[in-house]
Structures are given as C-alpha cells and as structure tokens.
Amino acid sequence: MPQYFGKLPTTNQPWTTIGTVRSILHDDRDVWCYCGDTRLAISVLAPNLIRVRLAPNGEFTPHSSWSVALDDKEWPIVPFQFKETASTLEIETEKMRVSIQRNPCRIEFFDKNGRPFACDTEMSMGWRMGAVAAWKRIEADEHYYGFGERTGFLDKLSEVKTNWTVDALDYGSLTDEMYQAIPFFMALRQDEIPPSSRGGLGGVSYGLFFNTTFWSQFDIGAEKPGVLRMETRGGELDYYIIYGPEPAQILDTYTQLTGRMPLPPKWSIGYHQCRWSYESETVVRELANEFRQRNIPCDVIHLDIDYMRGYRVFTWSPKRFPDPAKLIGDLKQNGFKTVTIIDPGVKYEPEADYHVFDEGIKDDYFVRNADGQLFHGYVWPDKAVFPDFLRPDVQQWWGDLQKSLTDIGVAGIWNDMNEPALDDRPFGDPGNKIWFPLDAPQGNSNELTNHLEVHNLYGLSMAKACFQGLEKHRASERSFVLTRSGFAGIQRWSSVWMGDNQSLWEHLEMSLPMLCNMGLSGVQFVGCDIGGFAGNATAELFARWMQVGMLYPLMRGHSAMSTARHEPWVFGERVEKICREYINLRYQLLPYIYTLFWSAATTGAPILRPLLYHYPNDPKTYNLYDQVLLGPSLMAAPIYRPGIEHRAVYLPEGTWYDWWSGNRYEGPIHILAHAPLERMPLYVGGGAIIPMAPVMQYVDERPLDRLTLRIWPGTGEWTLYEDDGHTFAYKTGAWATTTYRVYREGQQIIVEIGAREGQFSPPVRDAIVELVGIGEQHFQDDGTAKHFTF
C-alpha cells in the first residue's frame, strides 16, 4: 500500500446503537422518530423511493450546494398511508411498505406481496467517534451489482468495497479503491416460491444509494455472512432505498435522483484513437492519413500530455505543435475531431508569465493547507498547485480557460489525474502518492468544509467545470467530455473510461463486468482502453479486444509511452482486416447505438448491459459476466483467452438467431459456439429490429442516404431516434422518432412502420426491410406509415 499524506480517522471504540423510538412527528413527506438525543427521518420521495437519515446528535446536515442528490423539495409530494401500532410505525406507498420497529428501532422494507428486502439486522444503526454505520440482512441467494468502477466478477457478494478515489495504476482483479467512487448498488434475488406456483410474481430487486461523500465502505457479507454493513467516516447516516422490482425501474429512479447523461455528439460514439503520446503535429497528420488511406473509420484523435509546453495546462508546445489551429482545422476537413487532455495540476511558476498560475494566485483559487499556506504536490510539470473545484467561482474560471482550446477548434476535453493523483516529490524520483491534507479547507466561505468530506468529489467537480465551460464556449455544438475520476452522478457531466489497464487477457475479460457494473451504477457512456494501456498486446489479443471494443459505449484505442504502437494496422494484414470489419460494424450500427444513447439520456438505461438486466427472473444470468447485451437486442459472447476458438454460450428464454449464420435456437439452452479469430459470437433475439447505416469513414461523412432495417422473425418493436447529431436543437423539438413493429399473422409476418413523429426531418432516403432468412423489400423512407407482408 502506498503511504498517504493525511490519515483517515479510525477508531476501535464499540458502536453505540440507536435506542427506542420515544416520540414521532410526521407530515405529508416525512416521518421523524425521536430516540433520546438521536433523530431518525424517513422521507417518502416517490412511490418506490425512500430516504433514511440518522443524526446521532439530533441535527441533520442541510442540503449542500454540491450535493449530487436531488433536494427532497424537488420531488413532488406522493401519497402514502401512515399508521401506528404499539410496536411499529407503518408507511405504505403504492409500490412498497416500510415498517419501523419501536423497540429497538429497526427498519424493514417489503414489496406489496410482503417479501422483505433491505431489512436492518438486530444491530440496526450505530455510531462511534468519526463514523456511523448501518447493518442490513442479506437475504437467501441475494446477489449484488453496481458499486461503480470495480474489478473482478459481476456479482460482489462476500466482498468489501471501499469508496475513496485513488490513482489505481496497475490495478488487478482484487483491487478495491479505484478512480471512481460510486456508493450505489442494486441487489437481486429470485423468489423462493417455485415458478409453477408463483402466480406471476417475479424476483425481488432494490437499489441503495449511500449518500455520503466521505470515505465509505460496503462489507457485503465478507466479515459476517448474511450481513451487509455500510459505514461512512462522516457524522450522519444518509441512504436511499429504491424498489424495483426490476433493474430498469431502479436505474430510472436512481438517475432521477443523481442526474442523467446529456445526449452526446454523434461523432463521439464513433471510433477514437489515442496514445501517450502522438508527440508532434507530423505524427498526428501521418496517423490521420493512415486511417483514411486504409479505409478504417475513425472520428476522434486524442492528444495526450506531450502537446503542451512543459506539461503546462492550456498551453501548446511551440516546437512540436507550432500551429495547432491549422492542424485541428485540417483534421476537421478530413473528418476528425480533436480532443485534448487536461490535468488539474497547475505548474508552480511565479514570475514566469504563466497566465493560469498567475490568475489562480491572484484570485486565490488554489487549495491551501489549514494554516493558510499554499498546498503543492508533484505531477507532470513537477511542483504544482491545485484548483479548489468545489467553489463555483473556481469552476467558472476553469471552465472559461477551455476557451483557449475551443477557439482553435478543440471539440472535447479529456480530464485526467483528477482523483487527484500526485506525489510528494518530482515524478521519476522514488516517492509516495499523497492526497491533499484531509483538513485542507475547501468550498465557499459560507459553506466551508475540508478535503476529508469532499475528496471523492474532486474529479466530478473538475468534470463539471469543464462541461459547463464547453457548453458556454461551444454554445452551438455539443462537446465531448471524458474523465478518469468521478463520484455518483458523474454521468451528468462526463463520459468515463476505466483508467490505466494493461495489455493482458485478464484485463480484456475483466472489462465486461467492469463496464456492466458502471452501467448498473447509472454511468452509461463508458469504455476501456482497447488493446490495453500498459504493455504490449499480441496480434491475437488486439483482434479479440477490438471485437469487444465494438460493443463499448466509448470505443477508444489507447496505449502508453514505451509500449509498442497499437493502431489497427500494426499487427499485420489479417488483424487489420478484422479491426476494419468490426469498426465498420460499429458504424453500421450507429442508428441503433445512438438510439440507445437517447434512451440512456431519457431513462437512465445502460447501453452495455449484463443479461440479468433483461432476464432478472432467470438465476442463470446472475453470475453470467462474460456475455453482454448491447441494448435489448444484440448479445455478444466474446473470446477472452488465447488460442480459443469455441466457447459455451447461454441463450435465455425465447428465440435466438446467430448474427452471422442465421441459425435459430430456442432458449433457454446452452450451445457451443465456433469462434475463429475472425468471429466474435453474436446473437439476436427473435422479433429484434436493428436499424443499420452504410459504412462511413466518419460520422456525417455524408447524409444517411440509405437505412436498412434488419428484422428477425418473431414479435417485437423498436423506436428509432434521430436528430442532427451535433447541435442542441433537439432540446427545442428538432428530433424525430419512428416506431417499427414486427408480428406474425397466421402464416405471414407483418412489418409495420409508424409515421415519423417530431420536428426533425431527415432527407428522403432509400430503405430496405430485410426479414433475415426470408426476404427483403425496398421503399422510400419519407416519414409516412408503411406496411409490409412477408
């Protein structure tokens, strides 16, 4: 373990637990329980959303300006029934019931069928010096997902998960703390009642958001089987319970609580190419030309830290990038967007006319120690100081600094090293990773706190400042934001990648549950470095990773300095052809994937999904981490081991078709899939409707002049979302949706195309209805309703 500057408070004192409920008050939203000097509040925010707060000293912390959760007052009042008995207090909504035992005080939750979930154990709630905790019962055969960015398998039962952002360089399968800290999980179990006598009842699922920015931790039955402990080093217990009964409803409510992602520019869901570093304008131009000459689609080139002058943020190297505006303009003409990296560390450079440092010092924007001295650490520019992003004035200043980049055409910002990551001596010298001093003051004077409370918010606050600056200075265009560190609600401000992975088969395998659990934590625009960041990928590993990367919501290749190059063509003709085919497939699927992004922005639904998301009543999906769904219709079973050309695939209930061969299967069934290096097993559910575009070398290379509707026999429906892909006009109605349906009618299969809705009008285009394995029909897609019979 690295040695850190500043120690988290800890104690071995015994827990003081909550006592008897002695009196109560309630109104149309809250029930307050008074237990001596301690106060417990139960707030009904939605029919399936309950907030629980415990103040050991009887005083609740007011809602802060930097809280990631929606203020209680923002939720509409919902009706609930309240009744008292001699032993309990009962709260009942149309979705769930809360029972509060009086002596000792204990909270239990039930669905409308009386099935318990998230119930306190005998220990219930307690506190001791510097910490507060709650203990929940783990029900029989309950499984746990989410927890933000995590290594290992999908289900986190019997593990400990700590929420504290750190630089997780060289992380492995057992790493705990990582770049992101998201104290949210969902639990899922199948009902004990046999399906034959269940009477339509499905499983039980709930979500829990631990609303604390302090260091916190979940112990999911590791220390004591059957008991989930959640602890925070803050002085108040605050958590939300979200009843499902299925994952989709949980995420819908959770993202109402913590925010939803904005609709990104369409180009940002194309392929991104990155390396630490493409070190000069010449190298970048050569890279762009290679993509176009080889007909490998690419939309984005990222510039890592070596584009700067001595790693000073918001500068350019005058030797290696002498005319960045011309470079970026030329790239744009060739269909490329440019994204530049920015770190939070500002070079400590008095009297050197470095405007970022000078302005920050002048207006006192940098974090100081408790004694008032300027705090510094060491990062890429050596000695550096760090903005206090918790302050709105600092956020505005930092956001306005983006203007120097956007004015010359930069279309997106990549925020790195913002856990924050820093050392106690210059990089390259043997040293220790440190944090800011935990007692360092942060925030406005009227809402002053310290780093202990808001450490986990540093990356999120930086991403927020960046997002708002880009929104201001690229007011007519959607921008792309990427961050390494974040907290719950980061989806409002940024996409996220999983940090510095390695060119290992294990990291390729691990990327699937990592990204799925991020999606189940409300963060949908996510990806991993294709090929691995550190180390050298083999040709086989890179080909398999590119196949998997086609499924990532953020599809970015990236590699580190001193490693071999990882562009699609460096591994030889065979691998180049594989990369081209799967990047082409990504671009063909963009109408489908862009609609998934719209769904994520409006409902919180993940883009990349574990099977349990759509099959929560099938226990066989609960531990299935190496098969994933891209949206509801397309399932992949990737290869993630060298030399493997066959693998077992589980097809859940329903009809399934092999994407490549058209072979039909009736689930639930296990099959053996053949997967030579050129093929990643892909399957489509019966009744699936997947709109596809022609291959383009970049998004909007030309108008979408042809649309193919690939439809598989069965019963299904799909709504295609369209807008211009790059402006904010969709917010004022310039969008369009078209609903497609397929169903059987006797011996015939009917395809219906509804009339287009909305104010956006794509140009009239050629379209094909392809009923896979049966036939196809051509038509002019002019937005009017259509009807086809096969």
Side-chain angles (χ1 to χ4, degrees):
M1 278 289 289
Q3 299 297 308
Y4 290 105
F5 182 75
K7 296 291 185 182
L8 287 164
T10 184
T11 179
N12 292 320
Q13 288 183 342
W15 295 98
T16 299
T17 55
I18 191 170
T20 301
V21 178
R22 297 179 180 174
S23 61
I24 63 166
L25 290 174
H26 69 90
D27 60 16
D28 55 2
R29 189 194 299 278
D30 305 294
V31 175
W32 293 279
C33 300
Y34 295 86
C35 310
D37 293 333
T38 303
R39 186 151 60 125
L40 177 70
I42 314 292
S43 303
V44 180
L45 304 181
N48 69 330
L49 176 63
I50 303 292
R51 184 182 187 186
V52 177
R53 287 178 293 163
L54 172 74
N57 64 1
E59 296 294 329
F60 290 116
T61 304
H63 186 84
S64 65
S65 63
W66 35 261
S67 173
V68 301
L70 197 63
D71 193 349
D72 290 3
K73 297 191 293 292
E74 300 296 316
W75 294 91
I77 297 293
V78 296
F80 66 90
Q81 296 178 347
F82 177 74
K83 63 180 181 180
E84 299 182 56
T85 71
S87 58
T88 64
L89 310 170
E90 302 285 336
I91 300 170
E92 187 164 358
T93 74
E94 63 175 284
K95 298 288 187 183
M96 59 191 294
R97 177 169 61 89
V98 187
S99 179
I100 307 161
Q101 292 188 22
R102 292 177 182 267
N103 187 19
C105 181
R106 189 181 306 160
I107 306 173
E108 298 176 316
F109 298 87
F110 300 88
D111 69 6
K112 297 297 278 189
N113 296 296
R115 297 178 294 182
F117 62 92
C119 295
D120 287 356
T121 65
E122 290 184 5
M123 188 82 167
S124 185
M125 294 164 277
W127 58 93
R128 59 188 181 189
M129 185 179 70
V132 61
W135 292 262
K136 295 286 184 184
R137 187 170 73 231
I138 296 174
E139 303 293 342
D141 202 30
E142 202 158 46
H143 303 263
Y144 290 82
Y145 310 100
F147 301 98
E149 182 184 20
R150 301 295 180 180
T151 62
F153 295 121
L154 194 64
D155 183 4
K156 302 305 181 186
L157 182 66
S158 300
E159 299 182 17
V160 175
K161 297 299 168 199
T162 306
N163 304 300
W164 188 257
T165 61
V166 300
D167 179 0
L169 179 66
D170 297 331
Y171 63 79
S173 61
L174 300 179
T175 299
D176 182 11
E177 300 128 312
M178 292 197 70
Y179 308 102
Q180 299 272 326
I182 302 178
F184 171 81
F185 69 81
M186 63 173 63
L188 174 64
R189 75 178 191 269
Q190 186 53 268
D191 195 80
E192 299 85 356
I193 305 170
S196 59
S197 58
R198 192 175 290 141
L201 294 181
V204 180
S205 187
Y206 75 93
L208 188 150
F209 174 48
F210 199 10
N211 188 29
T212 173
T213 58
F214 289 92
W215 178 99
S216 66
Q217 188 178 75
F218 296 104
D219 181 319
I220 313 106
E223 179 181 350
K224 187 174 183 181
V227 176
L228 183 148
R229 174 182 56 83
M230 51 183 182
E231 176 184 347
T232 177
R233 299 285 166 84
E236 184 177 309
L237 186 73
D238 186 354
Y239 66 90
Y240 297 80
I241 293 290
I242 307 168
Y243 173 67
E246 295 186 351
Q249 289 87 0
I250 294 171
L251 284 174
D252 185 285
T253 301
Y254 173 68
T255 54
Q256 287 181 62
L257 178 66
T258 59
R260 292 185 175 137
M261 64 172 284
L263 196 59
K266 197 171 183 179
W267 55 261
S268 70
I269 61 176
Y271 179 68
H272 299 231
Q273 186 63 52
C274 184
R275 180 171 170 81
W276 174 35
S277 283
Y278 296 123
E279 66 273 11
S280 71
E281 174 181 325
T282 301
V283 173
V284 172
R285 290 184 183 277
E286 290 172 350
L287 176 77
N289 289 335
E290 287 284 348
F291 272 103
R292 295 296 179 249
Q293 290 172 7
R294 295 174 183 272
N295 289 316
I296 299 175
C298 182
D299 263 274
V300 189
I301 294 176
H302 290 237
L303 301 183
D304 211 318
I305 54 177
D306 292 300
Y307 79 88
M308 303 179 210
R309 179 174 61 87
Y311 308 126
R312 295 165 180 84
V313 290
F314 304 107
T315 68
W316 290 85
S317 167
K319 291 185 178 180
R320 286 175 284 109
F321 290 87
D323 193 346
K326 185 175 190 315
L327 170 65
I328 293 168
D330 291 347
L331 289 174
K332 183 178 180 180
Q333 288 296 315
N334 207 5
F336 292 97
K337 301 294 190 297
T338 303
V339 170
T340 50
I341 197 170
I342 292 290
D343 292 347
V346 174
K347 184 173 180 63
Y348 181 86
E349 199 169 31
E351 300 182 11
D353 294 325
Y354 175 35
H355 69 287
V356 182
F357 176 80
D358 292 344
E359 290 170 12
I361 289 293
K362 173 178 169 289
D363 293 314
D364 196 23
Y365 287 155
F366 299 122
V367 173
R368 293 183 176 273
N369 294 312
D371 63 5
Q373 295 296 308
L374 194 64
F375 170 74
H376 72 270
Y378 292 86
V379 284
W380 298 115
D382 285 340
K383 185 176 181 180
V385 289
F386 300 86
D388 180 2
F389 292 119
L390 206 67
R391 290 166 47 185
D393 57 338
V394 178
Q395 288 183 15
Q396 181 176 336
W397 168 68
W398 192 262
D400 285 340
L401 288 170
Q402 324 292 313
K403 188 175 186 298
S404 66
L405 299 171
T406 60
D407 279 354
I408 61 171
V410 169
I413 300 294
W414 162 23
N415 294 288
D416 197 18
M417 303 287 285
N418 54 350
E419 292 73 35
L422 57 152
D423 280 6
D424 63 355
R425 63 199 71 187
F427 274 22
D429 294 347
N432 298 311
K433 292 186 178 299
I434 60 173
W435 302 323
F436 298 169
L438 297 178
D439 60 354
Q442 286 196 246
N444 281 343
S445 58
N446 63 339
E447 204 178 21
L448 199 61
T449 183
N450 58 33
H451 191 69
L452 174 65
E453 181 171 10
V454 296
H455 168 87
N456 285 329
L457 292 176
Y458 196 78
L460 178 144
S461 301
M462 181 185 182
K464 177 183 177 183
C466 172
F467 176 91
Q468 292 178 334
L470 292 175
E471 196 172 45
K472 176 179 177 182
H473 297 294
R474 297 184 83 242
S476 62
E477 294 280 327
R478 295 178 233 168
S479 301
F480 172 73
V481 181
L482 180 64
T483 186
R484 193 169 76 174
S485 184
F487 186 68
I490 187 61
Q491 65 272 5
R492 293 180 62 190
W493 313 113
S494 184
S495 63
V496 174
W497 96 105
M498 299 296 96
D500 295 340
N501 62 356
Q502 301 174 51
S503 298
L504 299 171
W505 288 95
E506 292 88 342
H507 280 223
L508 166 59
E509 176 186 9
M510 196 161 59
S511 73
L512 296 172
M514 285 184 81
L515 297 183
C516 284
N517 272 324
M518 285 293 283
L520 294 179
S521 303
V523 188
Q524 305 90 346
F525 198 177
V526 289
C528 292
D529 289 341
I530 294 170
F533 174 72
N536 298 326
T538 63
E540 183 186 9
L541 173 60
F542 192 81
R544 291 302 194 189
W545 212 321
M546 187 63 76
Q547 291 170 350
V548 174
M550 186 273 291
L551 305 163
Y552 293 168
L554 172 64
M555 187 184 187
R556 185 180 81 150
H558 188 31
S559 56
M561 180 183 290
S562 79
T563 68
R565 293 284 288 261
H566 276 180
E567 291 79 38
W569 51 84
V570 301
F571 298 96
E573 187 175 336
R574 184 185 183 191
V575 170
E576 179 181 344
K577 184 178 179 183
I578 292 169
C579 291
R580 183 184 297 107
E581 179 180 4
Y582 282 86
I583 296 175
N584 282 348
L585 180 56
R586 169 74 167 211
Y587 278 72
Q588 289 176 285
L589 289 168
L590 282 182
Y592 175 72
I593 296 173
Y594 191 58
T595 299
L596 296 177
F597 273 80
W598 168 65
S599 178
T602 52
T603 70
I607 296 159
L608 190 70
R609 307 167 182 178
L611 269 63
L612 66 89
Y613 182 83
H614 285 289
Y615 300 92
N617 297 321
D618 182 353
K620 286 187 174 65
T621 68
Y622 290 0
N623 289 298
L624 192 57
Y625 71 92
D626 61 351
Q627 294 177 219
V628 291
L629 287 158
L630 182 61
S633 302
L634 189 60
M635 183 176 72
I639 301 297
Y640 49 85
R641 286 286 185 270
I644 299 298
E645 291 194 348
H646 291 83
R647 63 155 292 174
V649 177
Y650 177 64
L651 301 175
E653 183 177 7
T655 303
W656 293 88
Y657 295 87
D658 186 300
W659 173 273
W660 307 109
S661 70
N663 290 343
R664 173 176 166 168
Y665 304 91
E666 291 297 326
I669 188 174
H670 284 89
I671 64 171
L672 184 65
H674 184 214
L677 186 60
E678 282 73 15
R679 284 288 171 262
M680 175 174 65
L682 285 173
Y683 302 88
V684 188
I689 302 169
I690 297 186
M692 299 183 69
V695 172
M696 299 187 192
Q697 294 308 296
Y698 54 93
V699 168
D700 293 334
E701 181 183 14
R702 62 182 185 275
L704 182 56
D705 52 6
R706 190 175 78 251
L707 185 69
T708 299
L709 301 173
R710 292 200 80 192
I711 303 176
W712 285 260
T715 300
E717 180 178 304
W718 177 258
T719 298
L720 171 69
Y721 173 83
E722 298 177 274
D723 60 27
D724 65 27
H726 62 94
T727 77
F728 295 100
Y730 73 93
K731 291 186 175 183
T732 54
W735 52 264
T737 57
T738 307
T739 299
Y740 310 102
R741 295 182 180 88
V742 60
Y743 57 92
R744 294 184 183 274
E745 198 171 78
Q747 297 301 309
Q748 298 178 323
I749 297 178
I750 309 299
V751 175
E752 291 181 351
I753 300 177
R756 186 180 295 140
E757 299 181 2
Q759 300 172 20
F760 178 68
S761 296
V764 174
R765 58 199 170 198
D766 295 328
I768 302 170
V769 172
E770 177 193 352
L771 194 60
V772 177
I774 296 177
E776 62 181 46
Q777 297 189 36
H778 295 241
F779 67 100
Q780 285 290 104
D781 183 14
D782 56 5
T784 61
K786 302 285 191 301
H787 186 278
F788 301 93
T789 302
F790 290 86

